[in-house]
Amino acid sequence: MTRPLAALRVIDLCDGPAGLCATLLADLGAAVVRVEPPAGARSRSEEPVLHGVGLPYVLRGRGVTPWSLDLAEEGDRERLFAAAAEVDIVVLDGEAAALLDPDELRRRLPGLVVVALTPYGLTGPHRGRVVTDAVLTAVGGVLSRSGLPGEPPLLPPPGLADGTAAVQAAWAALVAHVHPSRTGRGELVDVSAHEAVVHGFDPGFGTQGSAAAGRSEDFPRDRPDARAFYPVFRCADGHVRICLLATRQWRAMFAWLGSPEEFADPRYDTIPARFAAADRLHPLIAELFAGRKRAELVDEGAERGIPVGGVLAPSEAIEEAHFRITGALRPVAVAPDLEAVVPQGFAIVDGVRAAAEVPVATIVDGHPSFPERAPVTREASSPERPLAGLRVLDLGVIVAGAEAGRLWADQGAEVIKVENAGFPDGLRQSRRGAGMSASFAWGQRNKRSIGLDLRTARGRELLRALAADADVLLANFRPGTLAKLGLGAEDLRAVAPRLVVCDSSAFGASGPWSGRMGYGPLVRAATGLSSLWAVPGRDDAFCAGATVFPDHVAGAVSALCSLAAVIGRDRTGRGAAIEISQADVALTLLGPVLAAESVERGAGATAGRADLTGVFACAGDDEWVVVQARDGRDWDRLRTLVGWDAPGASTPAQRRDPDGPVHRAVASWAATRSPAEAVRELQAAGVPAGAMVRLPEEPDDEHLVARGAFSTMEHPDLPVALPANTGPARFSSLPVPALAPAPRQGEHTREIARELLGLSDAEIEELLGAGVLQDPAQ
């Protein structure tokens, strides 16, 4: 298998987490050269460091060739410009953008795509601020949904926010690459890590998981008690998590409990009623599970049709047979004397995992070499919408499915949502009963809908006819579902050899867990993420329940990989079959943490927290600031600011101690200031810091407003206009996405049948009468 981006050339100028953007492109086959200063990248010592090896640096270096340059020297800058003339994309982080003006790159090389992945973007009042992964969770709205009511908010495991930003940047980079390859123009892509987390991690104003039907729609100020959403229960040998969402799942659980009269009322078929009764229902489930082993509960849940998943510790996740069998994790030599278990990428292309090799290559001193450039084979059909002229059949459902198709539609592709009224998309659940929810409106904007019953032979025939003229088909059903219908990747590509089929699922299409029911909360439990996102020493404080991560990121990964395959197809003439596992996405973002755990048991729980990391209470009610000192320099700045000059903080270990005198000193300092005041002083001193932002505050955030991060979206079936994101990046010549309303069920059935399938009005009426085609009247 030739990886789809085998002809793409990239120079990466990032020294730190932003470098993951280029690494993801390298996994998909791009030739990536990463510039390092002669003394070596600062990120070589980025935590977690074990046995003298910085694991994040090693994992971000897979498939990347280091190139030694000093960008402060005129001669080396000219060498860089000469090399940049031979590549397609240059990626910069905030520090590189300060040394090398992105606009200068574009002036000298007008056909180049320049991607700037910086903390707050290149514009706006906060553009000079410094951030870390922990700070991004605070300013990006994640922290406000983490932790228990009345207790301090809990930081998620490191890597999730940075990884979310990198995936969004990689997608934007390929969108921009397709644009000049079809128009001859270059592009500046301004990616704000802050906005990437706000809109791409698990947005408050974006597609929501099914459990959102049970939550308040008014965004209460208090942090939610998320334990009722996707509850975790103790069992004989650990913990399990359940997801009771569909009515059939609840009724199966009701029977498993012995059909208690207290919950026989049909109103408990609804998510809101069960959430409201959690204080009575959950103790019954806890009693049922308490004496059973984890594996037994998972198996019986599967037999009964109830999504039950074991909550694995990181040490268990890295040893799990499913991940070893599928190749998602494997031990590799990350240094001459150090082996670690590391993720192997999140995409399987034509049956082969798309992953570049670890460890890091030898540093190049001379001019780097690149593969031959691919010829341009398509002309632009729209100078404004880079994906215009491409057709996507969107069979995706719920969050991950919605996000993948939306990203394509936002950039101009013709996206046709294929729906069946007998099995409606879960996002269509609405308290108003109109088949339109805010989640559906957010996730399905800019798409058309055809009602089509794929259980009928004629329905499957019509889908094949649509596929024959399509470029991409997206799906996220349980593995094997499409193949059973004769609509698997091999079946479809037999009639459409150039078709890219991208099928995502919770645990992938192979391995012992491939048949498991998949939801983001169960993925988090199985990958060790839930155990890492919990209050240490307590078994009632799993704090990842208020988010559906990694659904949104997995949707963006599906979009990224399918666009990469289209780019590769334009070179080879062949389509591709892509498999995406949500679990593999989570493992990839947790890579350094899991690698640390594999080297030293227990290291994963504290990995990546740098010199000092803390969530500190500020003046006011439930107001918090995240402060992170990355290294000794940050610590010196922080010490000066808070007036700490006492002994007992000479080592990183002492400064990391959350109960030690250093944290107490910072806490005392923060308690006298509002979050905004604390952040202004810390940022002025050069210390990464950010206030905890609640979801309702995001549309009015001064920086997001200045960046135009939100627009207003209206839908005739919704009572109020909605804030909506305006894309993953600011492009120098591309407009923000359109906001065409999400379609009603089968709204465009007749016109698609007439225009694309060539059916006569009489044939359409006959198929509507038979239920093969469906329109809004049915």
Side-chain angles (χ1 to χ4, degrees):
M1 185 272 298
T2 300
R3 286 179 289 168
L5 297 182
L8 190 71
R9 308 167 171 200
V10 180
I11 290 178
D12 181 25
L13 302 175
C14 303
D15 185 1
L20 182 59
C21 169
T23 305
L24 299 178
L25 300 179
D27 280 344
L28 292 168
V32 178
V33 170
R34 178 167 292 154
V35 172
E36 289 195 27
R42 187 187 66 255
S43 57
R44 286 176 179 263
S45 58
E46 183 182 338
E47 294 285 350
V49 176
L50 292 177
H51 299 206
V53 176
L55 295 177
Y57 172 83
V58 171
L59 297 191
R60 286 196 299 266
R62 61 184 186 268
V64 172
T65 300
W67 183 24
S68 179
L69 285 181
D70 184 351
L71 296 184
E73 296 291 334
E74 182 69 22
D76 278 2
R77 288 165 64 89
E78 290 303 317
R79 291 172 64 196
L80 174 66
F81 282 121
E86 302 176 21
V87 306
D88 305 288
I89 299 171
V90 171
V91 186
L92 306 91
D93 60 8
E95 293 188 17
L99 284 172
L100 192 68
D101 183 1
D103 287 325
E104 182 185 359
L105 265 172
R106 292 185 62 237
R107 282 193 300 271
R108 294 186 59 167
L109 301 166
L112 186 67
V113 170
V114 178
V115 180
L117 172 52
T118 62
Y120 283 94
L122 298 175
T123 62
H126 298 169
R127 63 185 179 275
R129 291 185 173 182
V130 290
V131 301
T132 61
D133 181 86
V135 171
L136 284 173
T137 68
V139 300
V142 180
L143 188 66
S144 66
R145 292 173 281 174
S146 177
L148 305 179
E151 298 186 20
L154 183 71
L155 285 171
L160 306 186
D162 282 334
T164 297
V167 170
Q168 296 279 348
W171 160 257
L174 291 191
V175 167
H177 170 67
V178 170
H179 182 229
S181 71
R182 302 170 75 191
T183 66
R185 296 189 307 215
E187 195 75 34
L188 173 60
V189 185
D190 176 7
V191 184
S192 157
H194 173 217
E195 289 170 52
V197 175
V198 167
H199 294 316
F201 185 94
D202 186 3
F205 303 96
T207 51
Q208 307 288 303
S210 299
R215 300 204 295 261
S216 169
E217 293 184 344
D218 59 359
F219 288 115
R221 183 183 187 281
D222 295 336
R223 283 178 284 120
D225 187 349
R227 290 173 293 185
F229 298 163
Y230 309 104
V232 173
F233 298 97
R234 173 168 282 284
C235 59
D237 58 349
H239 295 83
V240 295
R241 166 169 273 159
I242 64 172
C243 293
L244 293 179
L245 302 174
T247 298
R248 65 182 183 277
Q249 294 166 355
W250 156 244
R251 290 178 179 171
M253 187 75 243
F254 176 71
W256 196 1
L257 288 169
S259 303
E261 183 65 26
E262 181 183 6
F263 292 99
D265 192 308
R267 68 190 177 94
Y268 290 110
D269 286 350
T270 67
I271 293 174
R274 295 197 298 275
F275 277 12
D279 60 334
R280 294 179 289 114
L281 174 61
H282 289 179
L284 298 181
I285 300 174
E287 183 179 1
L288 175 68
F289 286 1
R292 305 282 298 276
K293 290 189 175 181
R294 189 170 63 187
E296 295 172 359
L297 292 170
V298 172
D299 290 343
E300 184 162 351
E303 291 174 6
R304 292 175 177 270
I306 302 169
V308 181
V311 179
L312 274 60
S315 58
E316 295 176 306
I318 60 179
E319 297 294 340
E320 173 52 49
H322 174 79
F323 299 134
R324 297 300 182 96
I325 290 170
T326 62
L329 294 172
R330 70 180 178 92
V332 301
V334 296
D337 59 347
L338 181 64
E339 185 175 85
V341 175
V342 302
Q344 296 298 299
F346 40 51
I348 294 175
V349 181
D350 291 335
V352 179
R353 190 168 289 275
E357 288 297 318
V358 175
V360 180
T362 303
I363 290 181
V364 172
D365 288 321
H367 191 82
S369 60
F370 295 100
E372 183 179 354
R373 258 203 181 103
V376 177
T377 58
R378 285 182 284 128
E379 294 298 325
S381 60
S382 167
E384 292 83 24
R385 299 293 178 188
L387 303 186
L390 295 170
R391 182 175 296 154
V392 177
L393 301 181
D394 184 359
L395 278 65
V397 294
I398 313 292
V399 176
E403 286 297 287
R406 178 189 65 80
L407 287 168
W408 276 90
D410 280 356
Q411 297 303 332
E414 178 191 10
V415 178
I416 299 172
K417 182 167 177 59
V418 180
E419 304 190 74
N420 183 346
F423 300 90
D425 189 326
L427 290 185
R428 284 199 181 274
Q429 296 182 79
S430 171
R431 300 183 186 195
R432 288 168 290 276
M436 183 61 61
S437 67
S439 274
F440 194 88
W442 275 314
Q444 308 296 338
R445 69 190 192 190
N446 297 323
K447 301 179 185 179
R448 296 199 291 170
S449 170
I450 181 172
L452 188 60
D453 188 351
L454 299 180
R455 296 172 300 169
T456 66
R458 183 66 170 132
R460 295 191 292 273
E461 180 182 335
L462 293 175
L463 183 74
R464 292 188 191 97
L466 286 172
D469 290 323
D471 298 280
V472 176
L473 183 143
L474 301 170
N476 65 325
F477 302 129
R478 184 183 294 191
T481 299
L482 289 178
K484 289 177 182 177
L485 294 171
L487 299 173
E490 291 185 7
D491 304 303
L492 293 173
R493 290 174 64 199
V495 298
R498 289 175 55 83
L499 183 68
V500 171
V501 179
C502 184
D503 199 355
S504 71
S505 60
F507 297 104
S510 62
W513 291 356
S514 60
R516 285 191 174 185
M517 287 178 282
Y519 295 96
L522 299 186
V523 169
R524 294 197 300 275
T527 55
L529 177 52
S530 293
S531 292
L532 290 164
W533 200 339
V535 178
R538 293 177 55 178
D539 61 7
D540 65 340
F542 292 92
C543 295
T547 173
V548 295
F549 178 89
D551 288 53
H552 293 84
V553 183
V557 165
S558 292
L560 167 68
C561 293
S562 54
L563 180 53
V566 168
I567 292 170
R569 180 197 67 181
D570 289 346
R571 186 182 74 256
T572 66
R574 300 187 304 274
I578 301 170
E579 301 168 20
I580 303 295
S581 160
Q582 285 193 37
D584 293 0
V585 172
L587 294 174
T588 297
L589 271 55
L590 285 173
V593 173
L594 297 178
E597 181 72 21
S598 72
V599 174
E600 186 178 305
R601 288 293 183 263
T606 58
R609 286 308 186 200
D611 212 27
L612 175 145
T613 305
V615 182
F616 300 95
C618 292
D621 176 24
D622 197 33
E623 300 288 357
W624 304 86
V625 64
V626 171
V627 181
Q628 186 159 36
R630 298 161 294 185
D631 50 30
R633 291 177 300 175
D634 281 353
W635 161 242
D636 287 339
R637 296 170 185 138
L638 179 61
R639 180 179 60 184
T640 300
L641 180 65
V642 304
W644 173 266
D645 58 2
S650 59
T651 68
Q654 291 173 317
R655 298 193 288 267
R656 291 175 188 146
D657 182 1
D659 299 316
V662 176
H663 275 250
R664 291 198 297 270
V666 178
S668 297
W669 177 88
T672 63
R673 292 159 172 80
S674 71
E677 291 169 339
V679 170
R680 279 197 297 270
E681 292 185 48
L682 288 160
Q683 287 284 348
V687 177
M692 184 185 78
V693 174
R694 295 172 173 84
L695 300 183
E697 299 166 346
E698 291 177 346
D700 297 321
D701 177 273
E702 65 169 353
H703 186 78
L704 294 174
V705 169
R707 295 267 301 170
F710 284 97
S711 185
T712 300
M713 183 174 71
E714 297 182 345
H715 197 286
D717 292 340
L718 295 177
V720 296
L722 302 171
N725 79 70
T726 54
R730 300 289 163 266
F731 296 91
S732 56
S733 66
L734 300 178
V736 298
L739 293 175
R744 297 182 174 115
Q745 182 106 29
E747 180 177 346
H748 306 96
T749 296
R750 292 173 183 270
E751 65 185 60
I752 292 171
R754 189 179 301 112
E755 296 169 6
L756 303 185
L757 293 172
L759 299 178
S760 67
D761 289 345
E763 289 173 313
I764 292 171
E765 293 303 324
E766 179 183 353
L767 291 170
L768 286 168
V772 175
L773 291 177
Q774 303 159 359
D775 67 9
Q778 295 176 297

